[in-house]
């Protein structure tokens, strides 16, 4: 397939582009700077500018753009940037599709587990309603923006959880401390994080590009785990202790109350119901497997023992 990707420089986007190229797809990365070759195309989503010719002939568009949610403390300006960077990019892509006589057949636009709110009791499936937090309202608007794609385009909105990776994301920032034996659970550790390995995240996206699924899809592993279990498994895989718990008040002080509550202390026990029903096969369905993969730098696999 010919696949156009926005957000291809992020840690998920980089891994996805590499995977798609290795499996024989033609990938075009949208960039804000001057393109360095035919595999890149320039756009300006802040100004709503994208030449629709870039999408002409594409089989699918993958939208992974958005300012980092946890990269810095939340101010009013930062929250606005987090929201605008997602809604503007999405609407720029759907507007460009609308100017084509034959738009791409598939639009996969990222969403998040935050759709369900900061903390929800019970098992969360795709038909569970949205929460009321800042990030929940963002995800509702983000998914609605994706559905402004032209009629006939299959729209998929993956609600991705915490991505476990040796190199990026929330756990990537925690790993150096765990390797030194200085890490530990965050808050009381009883909050559920819907986790997935980066390897499975990329495979899920590839699966969704080639499937008939549309609408929201929960993207996480089938095994539920709270933060205590996630940190313990990562520490065990690294052969390090993990006793230095970071109390919730300290997290609120360092990160800011709202960011800490919605990102780190939030609890979402999410189930990938639609992926399971579709027969998707995870490489790392168990947390212990994913932890060993992360600890090995992404080299370990269940088959290698």
């Amino acid at each position: 397939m010919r696949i156009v990707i926005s957000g291809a420089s992020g840690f998920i986007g980089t891994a996805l582009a590499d995977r798609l190229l290795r499996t024989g797809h033609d990938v075009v990365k949208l960039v804000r700077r001057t393109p360095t070759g035919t595999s890149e195309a320039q756009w300006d989503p802040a100004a709503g500018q994208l030449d629709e010719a870039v999408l002409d002939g594409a089989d699918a568009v993958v939208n992974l753009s958005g300012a980092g949610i946890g990269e810095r403390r939340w101010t009013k300006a930062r929250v606005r940037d987090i929201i605008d960077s997602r809604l503007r990019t999405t609407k720029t892509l759907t507007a460009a599709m609308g100017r084509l006589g034959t738009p791409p057949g598939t639009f996969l636009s990222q969403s998040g587990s935050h759709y369900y709110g900061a903390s929800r009791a019970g098992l969360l499936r795709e038909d569970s309603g949205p929460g009321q937090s800042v990030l929940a309202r963002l995800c509702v608007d983000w998914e609605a923006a994706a559905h402004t794609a032209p009629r006939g385009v299959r729209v998929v909105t993956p609600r991705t959880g915490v991505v476990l990776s040796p190199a990026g994301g929330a756990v990537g920032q925690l790993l150096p401390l765990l390797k030194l034996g200085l890490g530990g659970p965050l808050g009381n550790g009883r909050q559920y994080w819907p986790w997935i390995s980066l390897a499975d995240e990329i495979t899920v996206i590839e699966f969704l590009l080639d499937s008939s699924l549309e609408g929201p899809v929960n993207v996480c592993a089938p095994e539920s785990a709270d933060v205590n279990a996630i940190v313990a498994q990562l520490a065990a895989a690294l052969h390090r202790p993990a006793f230095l718990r970071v109390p919730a008040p300290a997290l609120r002080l360092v990160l800011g109350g709202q960011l800490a509550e919605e990102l780190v202390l939030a609890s979402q026990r999410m189930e990938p119901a639609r992926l399971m029903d579709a027969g998707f096969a995870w490489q790392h369905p168990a947390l212990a497997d994913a932890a060993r993969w992360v600890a090995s730098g992404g080299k370990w696999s269940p088959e290698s023992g």
Side-chain angles (χ1 to χ4, degrees), residues 174-185 231 234-236 238-245:
L174 181 63
L175 280 179
L177 292 176
L178 288 174
K179 288 177 180 178
L180 293 171
L182 300 176
V231 172
L234 287 169
L238 291 165
H239 307 291
R240 294 290 186 272
F243 302 127
L244 300 179
R245 184 179 301 276

Side-chain angles (χ1 to χ4, degrees), residues 80-227:
R80 187 73 258 163
D81 187 37
I82 289 170
I83 295 170
D84 288 347
S85 64
R86 285 163 172 76
L87 300 187
R88 286 178 179 170
T89 53
T90 305
K91 291 176 181 177
T92 298
L93 289 167
T94 59
M97 292 182 210
R99 296 193 295 271
L100 291 171
T102 305
T106 298
F107 182 39
L108 189 149
S109 186
Q110 187 71 281
S111 183
S113 61
H114 305 294
Y115 174 92
Y116 300 108
S119 291
R120 291 276 293 273
L123 205 56
L124 301 170
R125 300 184 177 90
E126 286 87 351
D127 58 356
S128 301
Q132 298 299 318
S133 64
V134 170
L135 293 179
R137 293 192 296 272
L138 164 60
C139 287
V140 169
D141 293 343
W142 199 5
E143 293 183 15
H147 283 282
T148 63
R151 182 177 298 180
V153 174
R154 181 175 65 96
V155 177
V156 189
T157 52
R159 294 173 181 165
T160 296
V162 175
V163 180
L164 305 185
S165 165
V171 172
Q173 297 173 22
L174 181 63
L175 280 179
L177 292 176
L178 288 174
K179 288 177 180 178
L180 293 171
L182 300 176
L186 307 173
N188 63 27
R190 294 192 293 272
Q191 67 272 33
Y192 281 93
W193 280 4
W195 63 272
I196 188 168
S197 72
L198 178 61
D200 278 330
E201 168 77 11
I202 299 313
T203 309
V204 166
I205 293 175
E206 193 173 30
F207 176 84
L208 292 174
L209 287 173
D210 198 36
S211 77
S212 60
L213 290 176
E214 56 185 313
V217 177
N218 286 350
V219 179
C220 61
E223 179 181 299
S224 296
D226 63 17
V227 170

Side-chain angles (χ1 to χ4, degrees), residues 3-9 13 16-18 20 27-31 43 60-65:
I3 302 167
V4 178
I5 304 177
S6 74
S9 62
L16 175 64
D18 289 345
L20 293 174
V27 174
V28 177
K29 304 173 186 178
L30 296 180
V31 297
W43 73 327
V61 177
V62 178
N63 177 26
L64 302 174
S65 291

Side-chain angles (χ1 to χ4, degrees), residues 16-37:
L16 175 64
D18 289 345
R19 165 78 178 186
L20 293 174
L21 287 169
R22 287 199 310 271
T23 52
H25 298 289
D26 179 18
V27 174
V28 177
K29 304 173 186 178
L30 296 180
V31 297
R32 292 172 173 82
R33 53 173 170 75
T34 302
T36 58

